[in-house]
Amino acid sequence: MKATIVTIGDEILIGQIIDTNSGYIAKALDKIGVQTHELLSISDDKQHILDTFESLQNKVDFVIITGGLGPTKDDITKHTFCEYFNDTLVINKEVETHVIELIESVMKRPASQMNKDQALVPSRCEILFNQVGTAPGMWMKKENTVFISLPGVPYEMKYIVENEIIPKIVKEYKRPYILHKTIMTYGQGESLVAERIEDWENNLPEFLKLAYLPAPGRVRLRLTARGTEREILEKTINEKVTSLAKIIGDIIVGFDEDETIEVVLGRLLTQKQKTIATAESCTGGKIAEVFTSVAGSSNYFRGSVVSYATDTKVSVLGVLQETIDEFSVVSSQVAKEMAIGVQKLMKSDYAIATTGNAGPSKGDADATIGTVFIALATPNDVFVEEFNFGQPREKVIDRAVNKAFEILQKEILKNL
Amino acid sequence: MKATIVTIGDEILIGQIIDTNSGYIAKALDKIGVQTHELLSISDDKQHILDTFESLQNKVDFVIITGGLGPTKDDITKHTFCEYFNDTLVINKEVETHVIELIESVMKRPASQMNKDQALVPSRCEILFNQVGTAPGMWMKKENTVFISLPGVPYEMKYIVENEIIPKIVKEYKRPYILHKTIMTYGQGESLVAERIEDWENNLPEFLKLAYLPAPGRVRLRLTARGTEREILEKTINEKVTSLAKIIGDIIVGFDEDETIEVVLGRLLTQKQKTIATAESCTGGKIAEVFTSVAGSSNYFRGSVVSYATDTKVSVLGVLQETIDEFSVVSSQVAKEMAIGVQKLMKSDYAIATTGNAGPSKGDADATIGTVFIALATPNDVFVEEFNFGQPREKVIDRAVNKAFEILQKEILKNL
């Protein structure tokens, strides 16, 4: 079972927007054992769309298309889709009623002709009902390939994938098993990890594939097994992970696909009934953003102060003006006082603070670009570490955020 | 001049990471008049890569490939690239020296053999030097197509595109002109805007293309002109934008491609020498994130309090416990007190506060899912509006963030 995901829209080809739809669809397909062969982004051009459909015909089982279903003149997907199947557009009554109701209730005005035309669909297509928008999804089969057209608005696309497409494929198609196991490691680079596990990697069976997904400060290892015997796949993957843990157990922080350090930390904080707050300067709120991305984080994440202006470090966090004058705003002393300040303000058990110079130009302080101080206040103590994360700006911020989580995790594990 | 951008990596095809590299490259090419024909993501599979190269040979002028250049076993791009050109890998001395120095200075350890092997490149390739990482970019021509291979780490890829590829194409290739003009509109939906400008749109000349880019609460219109006579393109685009402004001037907020509402607002605040702060509950810091994404925002953005736990609204922002008890935490009264509280705390002229229920489940309050209160404190007053942004969660948050900016902009324009 193979799929190709096609995104239609010039805005993607000129880099005006990033396609996040395809990744979402690929992940949803992967979970039910449908392998994504390629992702493709093409222009809003009739011939380009027709050529693409033709080139995919009978090459894959599913072609999932997003974009170009809006009501305006530049939205040509539906007409082109209809033409590819030699079909004609007809009004679907159920969709029309839904469109009229949705426009009236949300927009507080009657539906226009342009709105109602959203209910025009190819006469032979199966409708994939879009409860949260006006453009329906469409499912049509030609020879060995199913073509599915979806709106490009992410939450509308997601609604249809989750509620219509996935259940339909699961019900109507037999699929093989694809199992993934992700191993999260921290603190060592990709090549060092690879050297440590070289023998283990060379002895993996043919149906297991290992991938390295490096990011600043962390490497994810992903084992993928494909086959028809679920039991054998599961057993082999588990054995291989156990033997891997014997080699690099010191840097493994978790195993779940979603087992990022923030999830692990969240669980530790919940178990220990401890809370955390952050005071962020150079990381601009990104540590808080990562914390709050985890469901249930309100149990341990108290809140954050983004002290963007230098003087809010004094007025909100209670950093002493003398400390800034004497040591500069990028200093270990200021980082410590920020951590203690936000810990007190948010009444949290732990608090992390960052101050640094992420570049590209020097800010309010003389510190070298790349310098970051990370302070951690614990219930009894406060300590700080200095780093130089190099350049460019985004690498500095990413590494600072990862390092902050690493420091916090080490401290909490120490006290378990 | 046409390019196809190819991303290599199974992690993209299973939806584990989103490809942002291709959008960056497409944007950079568009600026110098190179049109991106397609974006393509394929697997880490030798035959798949070779087939893809073959299918693009002489179809486009440039094939730009990212990913698969790391030092580990699953990184096969370089060997496959070399095989496609019937070439052999040789050590490039300059790259080797750079790799050794980089590993020693950043990792504080000697370079391993695996690190040094990063300096192996096809003997006939032109090196695109990677100052910020170990994998060099490679440029090789076959018949009418240039193949360029780049590392997948975003900041390394960006460094090479910006410092090597773009200057080289500009210097060595003649290109046509591609001009874009983006018109930012607020407050009306895509189909309503389309109806208002229908006559204008139907009278656009052949070489001008109009695109609608809708997002909750805002529609961007993009006019694209392609041709060889820069002056004619510019003149026509400007005339058309002027006539458009006569029709929908009431909803146009800016013209620049980067002229988002946050940029417009930042300029207004800077001109008036006014500052702003935010107190966010249901928007979780996203308003602050949008503010701080604008360069120079430290001139007017004082900071933010993400009062994630309900009681931090009381302890940090000074909301009265009685107000929460009487009206619930999702109420116009609490929103007002949050805005006044953060305005005082951050010593800002304006302050925005949000409290609401974004779903998927009900939180600390009884409010319907989708309900959001947005309060704005001005130097003399505070007011609040109630909205229902429907479902799902991400739409509620996006619309709340956009609406907050719209409310602030209206207020500031009123006092100009």
Side-chain angles (χ1 to χ4, degrees):
Chain A
M1 283 280 148
K2 278 190 179 182
T4 285
I5 303 169
V6 180
T7 316
I8 298 179
D10 288 354
E11 62 275 21
I12 291 166
L13 294 179
I14 65 168
Q16 199 163 26
I17 67 164
I18 295 289
D19 165 38
T20 56
N21 286 348
S22 300
Y24 174 85
I25 298 170
K27 198 169 194 167
L29 293 176
D30 181 70
K31 279 195 185 134
I32 58 165
V34 177
Q35 191 187 338
T36 297
H37 180 62
E38 289 184 345
L39 308 183
L40 187 61
S41 294
I42 62 173
S43 66
D44 295 308
D45 176 90
K46 190 173 125 180
Q47 199 53 50
H48 198 170
I49 298 172
L50 291 173
D51 291 347
T52 302
F53 286 1
E54 194 56 58
S55 74
L56 298 170
Q57 183 65 57
N58 301 333
K59 299 273 163 53
V60 289
D61 304 285
F62 299 99
V63 176
I64 303 186
I65 305 132
T66 63
L69 292 188
T72 55
K73 252 189 103 175
D74 61 326
D75 291 305
I76 62 167
T77 303
K78 190 163 64 184
H79 288 92
T80 312
F81 191 75
C82 191
E83 180 175 331
Y84 184 68
F85 287 94
N86 287 316
D87 202 354
T88 48
L89 294 174
V90 295
I91 283 284
N92 179 290
K93 279 289 163 197
E94 198 191 351
V95 173
E96 192 182 36
T97 307
H98 164 70
V99 168
I100 291 171
E101 280 173 10
L102 194 71
I103 296 289
E104 282 174 359
S105 73
V106 175
M107 300 293 185
K108 315 285 182 208
R109 63 167 175 84
S112 67
Q113 189 53 48
M114 208 179 246
N115 294 138
K116 289 180 196 161
D117 286 350
Q118 292 284 74
L120 281 170
V121 295
S123 72
R124 302 192 309 272
C125 88
E126 278 185 69
I127 293 284
L128 305 168
F129 208 78
N130 178 3
Q131 197 64 51
V132 295
T134 56
M138 295 167 283
W139 172 297
M140 284 187 97
K141 193 167 180 178
K142 186 170 183 173
E143 295 157 24
N144 299 320
T145 303
V146 173
F147 290 78
I148 300 165
S149 172
L150 298 174
V153 180
Y155 63 84
E156 297 185 19
M157 174 282 300
K158 286 181 192 175
Y159 177 87
I160 300 173
V161 169
E162 200 177 303
N163 296 284
E164 300 282 339
I165 297 175
I166 297 300
K168 192 169 161 69
I169 294 177
V170 166
K171 200 176 147 204
E172 299 176 8
Y173 293 83
K174 199 171 150 52
R175 293 141 292 118
Y177 295 104
I178 304 180
L179 296 181
H180 301 290
K181 183 88 180 177
T182 301
I183 301 109
M184 311 293 303
T185 76
Y186 272 81
Q188 286 180 354
E190 184 182 13
S191 57
L192 197 55
V193 176
E195 279 169 32
R196 292 182 64 188
I197 67 173
E198 195 177 355
D199 286 344
W200 174 87
E201 185 176 356
N202 289 335
N203 286 315
L204 287 174
E206 196 59 33
F207 63 90
L208 275 187
K209 201 169 168 183
L210 179 72
Y212 292 78
L213 306 167
R218 41 169 112 177
V219 177
R220 282 188 292 183
L221 300 171
R222 190 191 59 238
L223 267 175
T224 301
R226 282 200 173 82
T228 47
E229 304 285 336
R230 192 185 172 97
E231 253 175 56
I232 295 177
L233 300 183
E234 265 175 0
K235 188 166 163 281
T236 318
I237 267 198
N238 287 335
E239 280 170 10
K240 288 297 167 187
V241 169
T242 307
S243 59
L244 181 69
K246 284 184 188 146
I247 308 167
I248 52 164
D250 55 318
I251 56 166
I252 292 177
V253 294
F255 291 105
D256 207 333
E257 195 192 341
D258 303 314
E259 197 83 316
T260 53
I261 197 163
E262 55 271 19
V263 170
V264 176
L265 258 172
R267 200 167 48 223
L268 286 172
L269 288 165
T270 307
Q271 280 167 3
K272 295 181 56 130
Q273 297 187 287
K274 296 293 181 192
T275 59
I276 177 118
T278 68
E280 305 186 49
S281 183
C282 67
T283 48
K286 197 153 182 199
I287 299 176
E289 199 196 310
V290 175
F291 265 119
T292 59
S293 70
V294 179
S297 53
S298 57
N299 291 326
Y300 51 85
F301 187 69
R302 299 279 303 158
S304 170
V305 172
V306 181
S307 55
Y308 209 65
T310 292
D311 69 285
T312 59
K313 292 184 178 67
V314 177
S315 60
V316 182
L317 293 172
V319 173
L320 295 172
Q321 185 61 50
E322 301 89 83
T323 311
I324 295 177
D325 294 342
E326 190 176 348
F327 300 103
S328 107
V329 73
V330 179
S331 63
S332 80
Q333 290 81 0
V334 167
K336 274 189 188 180
E337 292 185 18
M338 286 171 68
I340 295 170
V342 81
Q343 183 186 36
K344 208 169 144 189
L345 187 69
M346 295 281 176
K347 299 195 185 74
S348 64
D349 299 304
Y350 293 91
I352 293 177
T354 60
T355 181
N357 185 351
S361 61
K362 291 198 173 192
D364 283 356
D366 280 338
T368 326
I369 292 173
T371 301
V372 177
F373 291 90
I374 303 176
L376 174 63
T378 70
N380 318 307
D381 201 3
V382 58
F383 57 87
V384 62
E385 286 189 60
E386 178 178 356
F387 301 93
N388 190 304
F389 293 129
Q391 290 191 48
R393 181 181 177 81
E394 54 198 305
K395 172 167 139 188
V396 175
I397 294 173
D398 274 0
R399 292 187 66 181
V401 171
N402 282 322
K403 189 52 86 175
F405 279 102
E406 205 182 313
I407 290 171
L408 180 62
Q409 191 193 29
K410 272 198 189 134
E411 179 61 28
I412 293 181
L413 287 175
K414 215 165 70 184
N415 298 312
L416 267 185
Chain B
M1 283 280 149
K2 280 190 177 180
T4 286
I5 303 169
V6 180
T7 317
I8 297 177
D10 288 353
E11 62 274 21
I12 291 166
L13 294 178
I14 65 167
Q16 198 162 27
I17 69 163
I18 294 291
D19 165 37
T20 56
N21 286 348
S22 299
Y24 175 86
I25 298 171
K27 197 169 195 169
L29 293 176
D30 181 71
K31 280 198 184 131
I32 59 164
V34 176
Q35 191 188 340
T36 298
H37 181 62
E38 289 183 345
L39 308 183
L40 187 61
S41 293
I42 62 173
S43 68
D44 294 308
D45 175 90
K46 190 173 125 178
Q47 200 53 49
H48 197 170
I49 298 172
L50 291 173
D51 290 347
T52 302
F53 287 0
E54 195 57 58
S55 75
L56 297 170
Q57 183 67 56
N58 301 333
K59 297 273 163 53
V60 290
D61 304 285
F62 300 99
V63 175
I64 304 186
I65 305 131
T66 62
L69 292 188
T72 54
K73 253 188 105 177
D74 61 326
D75 292 304
I76 62 167
T77 302
K78 190 163 66 183
H79 288 92
T80 313
F81 191 76
C82 190
E83 181 176 331
Y84 184 69
F85 288 94
N86 288 314
D87 202 355
T88 48
L89 294 174
V90 295
I91 283 284
N92 179 291
K93 278 289 164 197
E94 199 191 350
V95 174
E96 192 182 36
T97 307
H98 164 71
V99 168
I100 292 171
E101 280 174 11
L102 195 71
I103 296 289
E104 282 175 358
S105 72
V106 175
M107 301 292 185
K108 314 284 181 209
R109 61 167 176 84
S112 66
Q113 190 55 47
M114 209 180 247
N115 295 138
K116 289 180 196 162
D117 285 348
Q118 293 284 73
L120 281 170
V121 294
S123 71
R124 300 191 312 270
C125 88
E126 280 184 68
I127 293 284
L128 304 168
F129 207 79
N130 178 3
Q131 197 64 52
V132 295
T134 57
M138 296 168 282
W139 172 296
M140 284 187 97
K141 193 167 180 178
K142 186 169 183 175
E143 297 159 23
N144 299 319
T145 303
V146 174
F147 290 78
I148 301 164
S149 170
L150 299 175
V153 180
Y155 63 83
E156 297 185 19
M157 174 282 300
K158 285 181 191 174
Y159 177 88
I160 299 174
V161 169
E162 199 177 304
N163 295 285
E164 299 282 338
I165 297 174
I166 297 300
K168 191 170 163 70
I169 294 177
V170 166
K171 199 177 148 202
E172 299 176 8
Y173 293 83
K174 200 170 152 51
R175 293 143 290 118
Y177 295 103
I178 305 180
L179 296 181
H180 301 290
K181 183 88 179 179
T182 301
I183 300 111
M184 310 294 302
T185 76
Y186 272 80
Q188 287 179 354
E190 185 181 13
S191 56
L192 197 56
V193 175
E195 281 168 31
R196 291 183 64 187
I197 66 173
E198 194 177 356
D199 286 344
W200 174 87
E201 186 176 356
N202 289 335
N203 285 315
L204 288 175
E206 196 59 33
F207 63 91
L208 275 187
K209 200 170 168 184
L210 179 73
Y212 292 78
L213 306 167
R218 41 170 112 178
V219 177
R220 282 189 292 183
L221 300 171
R222 190 191 60 235
L223 268 174
T224 301
R226 282 203 173 79
T228 49
E229 303 285 334
R230 189 182 175 99
E231 253 175 55
I232 296 177
L233 300 183
E234 265 176 1
K235 188 166 162 280
T236 318
I237 268 198
N238 287 336
E239 280 170 9
K240 289 296 165 188
V241 169
T242 306
S243 58
L244 181 69
K246 283 183 190 147
I247 309 168
I248 53 162
D250 55 319
I251 55 166
I252 292 176
V253 294
F255 291 104
D256 207 333
E257 195 193 342
D258 302 314
E259 197 84 317
T260 53
I261 198 163
E262 57 270 20
V263 169
V264 175
L265 258 172
R267 201 167 46 224
L268 286 172
L269 288 165
T270 307
Q271 278 167 5
K272 295 181 58 130
Q273 296 188 288
K274 297 292 182 193
T275 58
I276 178 119
T278 67
E280 305 185 50
S281 182
C282 67
T283 49
K286 196 152 183 200
I287 300 177
E289 199 196 311
V290 175
F291 265 120
T292 58
S293 71
V294 180
S297 53
S298 57
N299 291 325
Y300 51 85
F301 187 70
R302 300 280 301 159
S304 171
V305 171
V306 181
S307 54
Y308 209 65
T310 293
D311 70 284
T312 59
K313 291 183 180 65
V314 177
S315 61
V316 181
L317 293 172
V319 174
L320 296 172
Q321 186 61 50
E322 301 90 82
T323 312
I324 295 176
D325 294 342
E326 190 176 348
F327 302 102
S328 108
V329 73
V330 178
S331 63
S332 81
Q333 289 81 359
V334 167
K336 273 190 189 180
E337 292 185 19
M338 287 171 68
I340 295 170
V342 81
Q343 183 186 37
K344 208 168 143 190
L345 187 69
M346 294 281 177
K347 299 196 186 75
S348 63
D349 299 303
Y350 293 92
I352 294 176
T354 61
T355 180
N357 186 351
S361 61
K362 292 197 172 190
D364 283 356
D366 280 339
T368 327
I369 292 173
T371 302
V372 177
F373 292 90
I374 303 176
L376 175 62
T378 71
N380 318 307
D381 201 4
V382 59
F383 57 88
V384 63
E385 289 188 59
E386 179 178 355
F387 301 93
N388 191 304
F389 294 130
Q391 290 192 48
R393 182 181 175 82
E394 53 196 305
K395 173 167 137 188
V396 175
I397 294 173
D398 273 0
R399 291 187 67 181
V401 171
N402 282 322
K403 188 52 86 174
F405 279 104
E406 204 183 314
I407 291 171
L408 181 62
Q409 191 192 31
K410 272 199 189 131
E411 179 62 28
I412 293 181
L413 286 175
K414 215 165 71 183
N415 298 311
L416 265 185

